[in-house]
Amino acid sequence: MTAAPAAAVGHSVDEVPAAPPTGSHPPTVSRSAGRSSVSQDRRQAPRWLSPAVAVLLSIQLWSALSSVYVAGEHRLVAAEFAAVLCAVLAVFGLRSVPLRRVVWPFTFGSGVAIMRFGLLVPASGAAGSWRAFAWLASTTTLLLLVPRRAPRVESRPGAWRGPLASSHQLGRAAIAVLPVLVAVALGTALLAGPRVARNLPVGSTAGDAVDRGDNFPSNPLDATNTLDMTQRPRLSDEVVMTVRSPIASFWRTETYDTWSGDTWSRSFNDEGFLVGDGVLRPAPDDLGAIDGEAFETEFRMEAGFTTALPAAPSPVEIDTERSVGQRPDGTMVVVDRPIGRGTTYTVTSRQVPTTYSQLRTLGTLQVPESILEQYAEPPVTTARTAALARELTADLDSNLDKIEAISDWMDANTAYSLDAPLSPRGVDVVDHFLFQTRLGWCEQIASSLVVMARVAGVPARLATGFVPGTFDDVSGRFIVREREAHAWAEVWFPDVGWVPFDPTATVPLAGDSSAAAATAGSGRSQVIGFLLLVVALALVALRPLLHRIRHLVRMLGDRRDRRRLLAERWDVREEASIEAAGEGLGRPRRPAETLRGYASDLVGMGAPAELGQRAERVELFRYGRPAPARDPTR
């Protein structure tokens, strides 16, 4: 073997730095690391597939987000643009991610957007249906174009295996398309059904058969002429009705104006008339039904037995297939037979918008004698109840101030509880509640307010029905359960009529009771939730990209280190020169190949012989050991 030159073994420090430890290897950079890896399905797909997927994803996301509205009819243009840009970047930027893993997260996210809080919202109405068609068409096309699973084996470029790739005949194509169309149609029907129902009125329907086994006094939907205060109400979690209404209101069923000490009744039990052509006759004292602003409320009954028809005060018209009777106070009952589950009817009501400042002024005006005689006569009560009412209202002029004074005292001295003890028969229920138990439910509280208000000369009556319930943003309806049966006080004011008051419920006054206002901001919070979902899905989809970025950072660092070594070490420059010569001959170096073996192959391919000598000097410098000293005695 040719002896290594002195420069290789005894080089100067300035020319060549110290050799690395024996057995170490110089830093190298993989030549394949700089090339972007492409998923197998993309390599086999035709060139037009990725652009087509990008366009379809853009249509899909735009049609979903363009139907989302916040605060009226303001479209989320920035969100639409950002989502479309995200989809395009995902298709063309994440080339190592299979197309199906790009398509499915965006399809799921856009589906949630359009079904949960986008499709056919009140701001867009039925005009939003074409967006749903655009979403459905783009989604179906995507599911047909993009392979549903990874190819089992590597195939030649262009050997596409999309769902329609092998469907050359019309029949096979139809078989491939039909399951996808059925799946998408079923998903649309299940998810979009509540959203469609929100904007398409049901109209009047007769409903199912009546459950006559539920004909009990404890049924809050069974019309009755009296209200026994010594019986506990039935308050289950069963849904009794759903209500589509623009306002949050009490759904009133009965009113009572006569108190006996333990039972409420009506002074007009034998009066009433049959409603003709759906038009109701407003009572002279019901000023809201005469001068109020009109709105429609649609009721769908879910209870099996109903004879009292709930309505938002004050009803003036009803659209129903049943014969309806009206009492003088405006409450309604069915007169032919009870109604069952599924019965729907629509009521037009009127309310005068009011505020507390307005009522405070109206409460000082003169009340007609006819109203005072029927609703402000001192009721049956105990001496200490009457004394308490007079004490609380003695120095007050406005009827509103009197009601608030009584309510404040009750709020400070009594408590609400469904587990409160029943009042024994033969005692005054209001007195027993105010001075003994001081624990009761809505009927005792509202009755005490009405009784003390009448003692103070304020015209009042007891009303029963239901609080608004829970507003469901998907269906746009109030969900009312049996436990939301309620009793409250109604107080008469000049120029306004009957106004509800209740210390235990948070139902706003007329004019402040918009259902949309009650759920203000819900659309914005849903959009924020959707965007968070998109971000989460994007992070999952971008995981391979983040891995590539980390790899690229490491690769750039390796290149920087290599440039530094090329400038400082002769052996690294020599190795790079030999590899460059091999690249010129079309023979790149293999990752596990030694430099001397690589140079030997290059010499065999016609490279200069000195290439092998140069490779030998590099390896001797890096890994060779100095020859042992010769023994002079031999």
Side-chain angles (χ1 to χ4, degrees):
M1 177 170 41
T2 306
V9 179
H11 56 273
S12 66
V13 176
D14 293 336
E15 179 184 4
V16 182
T22 303
S24 64
H25 297 274
T28 59
V29 177
S30 173
R31 285 156 297 281
S32 61
R35 298 179 304 189
S36 298
S37 58
V38 180
S39 63
Q40 187 173 342
D41 66 330
R42 295 185 188 235
R43 290 196 300 268
Q44 297 175 194
R47 293 183 177 180
W48 54 264
L49 183 60
S50 291
V53 169
V55 171
L56 290 170
L57 276 179
S58 301
I59 296 174
Q60 181 191 72
L61 293 171
W62 176 84
S63 59
L65 289 180
S66 63
S67 66
V68 176
Y69 286 77
V70 176
E73 299 189 0
H74 300 290
R75 284 176 47 188
L76 302 174
V77 179
E80 297 170 27
F81 177 77
V84 170
L85 181 61
C86 184
V88 173
L89 292 177
V91 172
F92 293 104
L94 304 178
R95 293 178 57 80
S96 61
V97 180
L99 281 174
R100 67 184 185 280
R101 294 186 180 177
V102 174
V103 169
W104 279 107
F106 284 105
T107 299
F108 175 77
S110 63
V112 169
I114 198 169
M115 304 306 178
R116 180 63 178 87
F117 48 84
L119 177 62
L120 297 180
V121 294
S124 59
S129 58
W130 69 270
R131 294 188 179 93
F133 174 79
W135 181 87
L136 181 62
S138 58
T139 299
T140 304
T141 307
L142 280 170
L143 297 180
L144 293 175
L145 289 179
V146 177
R148 289 188 292 269
R149 60 180 64 88
R152 295 185 178 180
V153 295
E154 180 72 34
S155 304
R156 69 183 186 279
W160 181 41
R161 289 295 178 266
L164 293 182
S166 59
S167 302
H168 301 295
Q169 300 177 359
L170 180 61
R172 298 184 64 184
I175 293 175
V177 172
L178 185 60
V180 178
L181 291 177
V182 171
V184 173
L186 288 177
T188 302
L190 291 175
L191 296 176
R195 198 51 93 167
V196 175
R198 176 176 183 167
N199 297 276
L200 300 179
V202 176
S204 300
T205 57
D208 301 333
V210 177
D211 179 13
R212 294 189 177 274
D214 197 22
N215 184 14
F216 293 104
S218 59
N219 181 357
L221 286 169
D222 189 11
T224 177
N225 290 328
T226 60
L227 179 63
D228 188 351
M229 297 292 293
T230 62
Q231 294 183 358
R232 192 180 302 276
R234 186 181 69 186
L235 304 175
S236 70
D237 288 334
E238 179 183 358
V239 176
V240 294
M241 61 182 170
T242 63
V243 185
R244 181 170 178 254
S245 173
I247 70 169
S249 174
F250 286 111
W251 316 125
R252 189 176 64 189
T253 55
E254 313 270 9
T255 67
Y256 302 95
D257 63 342
T258 304
W259 173 244
S260 67
D262 60 2
T263 302
W264 281 100
S265 60
R266 283 185 288 265
S267 60
F268 46 83
N269 280 336
D270 297 330
E271 301 178 27
F273 51 89
L274 189 66
V275 177
D277 298 328
V279 179
L280 301 167
R281 302 178 189 178
D285 57 45
D286 196 351
L287 304 183
I290 301 172
D291 300 322
E293 297 179 0
F295 61 93
E296 284 191 355
T297 308
E298 181 186 270
F299 294 83
R300 174 185 168 87
M301 307 309 297
E302 301 294 342
F305 186 94
T306 298
T307 56
L309 297 178
S314 297
V316 293
E317 292 183 20
I318 182 170
D319 178 13
T320 178
E321 295 184 355
R322 307 302 298 272
S323 296
V324 175
Q326 179 194 351
R327 302 188 185 99
D329 61 350
T331 57
M332 299 175 292
V333 295
V334 289
V335 297
D336 50 355
R337 62 184 184 277
I339 60 177
R341 182 180 184 274
T343 302
T344 60
Y345 61 94
T346 301
V347 177
T348 300
S349 300
R350 291 182 178 273
Q351 290 185 357
V352 177
T354 56
T355 62
Y356 279 100
S357 60
Q358 177 188 10
L359 293 179
R360 200 172 308 279
T361 301
L362 295 175
T364 61
L365 301 181
Q366 184 67 34
V367 178
E369 285 296 328
S370 60
I371 301 295
L372 293 174
E373 290 177 1
Q374 184 174 356
Y375 298 106
E377 285 294 322
V380 175
T381 188
T382 62
R384 59 180 175 179
T385 300
L388 175 63
R390 295 188 185 99
E391 177 185 351
L392 295 173
T393 61
D395 299 328
L396 302 176
D397 296 327
S398 173
N399 284 347
L400 178 62
D401 292 335
K402 294 178 182 180
I403 292 296
E404 289 183 333
I406 297 172
S407 297
D408 292 343
W409 185 92
M410 292 175 60
D411 183 61
N413 295 276
T414 64
Y416 177 88
S417 175
L418 292 176
D419 298 323
L422 287 172
S423 298
R425 292 188 179 275
V427 303
D428 188 285
V429 173
V430 170
D431 182 274
H432 185 260
F433 166 67
L434 291 177
F435 299 103
Q436 295 188 41
T437 65
R438 297 200 172 186
L439 190 66
W441 53 85
C442 58
E443 292 177 352
Q444 285 101 326
I445 295 173
S447 297
S448 300
L449 179 58
V450 172
V451 168
M452 288 198 289
R454 287 191 173 190
V455 171
V458 179
R461 67 185 182 185
L462 185 78
T464 61
F466 296 84
V467 292
T470 304
F471 186 79
D472 178 53
D473 189 57
V474 176
S475 62
R477 303 177 75 90
F478 291 95
I479 309 300
V480 185
R481 302 180 183 275
E482 191 176 59
R483 65 169 181 260
E484 285 154 339
H486 202 61
W488 61 93
E490 289 188 345
V491 179
W492 195 90
F493 288 87
D495 298 335
V496 173
W498 293 106
V499 178
F501 286 90
D502 182 22
T504 65
T506 56
V507 179
L509 293 173
D512 298 323
S513 53
S514 169
T519 58
S522 61
R524 186 177 301 277
S525 62
Q526 291 172 341
V527 171
I528 293 174
F530 168 70
L531 294 179
L532 290 177
L533 174 63
V534 171
V535 170
L537 294 174
L539 289 177
V540 174
L542 292 175
R543 202 173 159 192
L545 179 61
L546 296 176
H547 177 74
R548 289 179 56 197
I549 292 175
R550 289 195 300 269
H551 181 76
L552 179 62
V553 170
R554 288 196 300 268
M555 182 183 69
L556 293 176
D558 291 343
R559 288 183 176 178
R560 184 178 62 252
D561 293 341
R562 185 173 178 83
R563 287 194 298 269
R564 179 177 57 81
L565 291 174
L566 284 171
E568 296 176 356
R569 294 182 52 172
W570 72 270
D571 60 317
V572 177
R573 292 195 298 271
E574 197 77 349
E575 180 182 25
S577 176
I578 295 172
E579 290 179 346
E583 292 284 350
L585 293 174
R587 167 65 167 84
R589 183 182 177 184
R590 301 185 185 93
E593 195 171 17
T594 65
L595 185 62
R596 187 183 297 184
Y598 177 53
S600 177
D601 283 355
L602 295 180
V603 172
M605 295 175 63
E610 58 94 15
L611 210 63
Q613 298 173 359
R614 291 164 57 191
E616 184 178 0
R617 286 197 301 270
V618 171
E619 290 195 352
L620 284 174
F621 167 72
R622 291 176 177 175
Y623 315 114
R625 296 177 181 274
R630 182 183 297 274
D631 187 354
T633 60
R634 291 187 180 181

